[in-house]
Amino acid sequence: MARWRADVDVVMDGIEGLKVLLVEDEYVLALGLTDALADLGAVVIGPVATVEDALALVERMPEIDAAVLDVNLGREVVYPVADSLAARGIPFLFATANERADLPERFAHVPVCAKPFHVEAFRDAVAALRVAPALRVA
């Protein structure tokens, strides 16, 4: 039990106060991820379900620390948002059911949290974004 508590404390330290943009088009999943992040002390920006809305937030909110991006948003893909975040040096991860090999080569270095995922794996992946080096897309 003490080991589990220590692991939770480490993750909470990594996420506490982190301003996370959440881009997810599945309503129930977006609510669950929002709750999971908020429970760990993150400040959730969104969630938003479209590329247009996500890009508007990236433009308006320079205080975004990290982002969680669902790759497929209805008939859109999230790559313009990923490009915008990378241009600003904001770390992000893809939360997707897609295979890593399906991602464009420019995102080969971006962390992927494969759906369906366990909440613990998601929390660890988000916590790792706090210490991620600035992402640049070639």
Side-chain angles (χ1 to χ4, degrees):
M1 183 69 161
R3 167 98 172 113
W4 179 83
R5 184 76 225 151
D7 289 346
V8 170
D9 289 342
V10 168
V11 172
M12 287 186 76
D13 288 346
I15 295 177
E16 184 74 35
L18 196 67
K19 295 175 193 78
V20 180
L21 171 64
L22 178 58
V23 182
E24 172 60 62
D25 67 330
E26 294 181 34
Y27 181 75
V28 173
L29 182 55
L31 289 179
L33 295 177
T34 298
D35 287 346
L37 290 167
D39 287 348
L40 290 169
V43 177
V44 180
I45 300 169
V48 294
T50 67
V51 168
E52 180 181 2
D53 289 344
L55 286 173
L57 284 176
V58 172
E59 291 295 322
R60 282 195 335 253
M61 303 190 78
E63 64 272 16
I64 295 171
D65 296 319
V68 174
L69 308 177
D70 179 13
V71 171
N72 296 308
L73 303 171
R75 296 176 187 244
E76 302 178 288
V77 289
V78 78
Y79 302 140
V81 180
D83 289 328
S84 182
L85 291 165
R88 289 167 175 72
I90 298 171
F92 58 92
L93 64 82
F94 291 120
T96 183
N98 291 1
E99 296 292 324
R100 177 177 279 289
D102 294 337
L103 297 173
E105 187 175 321
R106 70 185 185 275
F107 299 124
H109 63 287
V110 174
V112 173
C113 197
K115 292 178 181 177
F117 47 77
H118 294 285
V119 173
E120 295 81 12
F122 174 73
R123 290 173 182 165
D124 291 346
V126 173
L129 292 176
R130 183 179 288 278
V131 295
L135 296 173
R136 296 289 179 204
V137 174

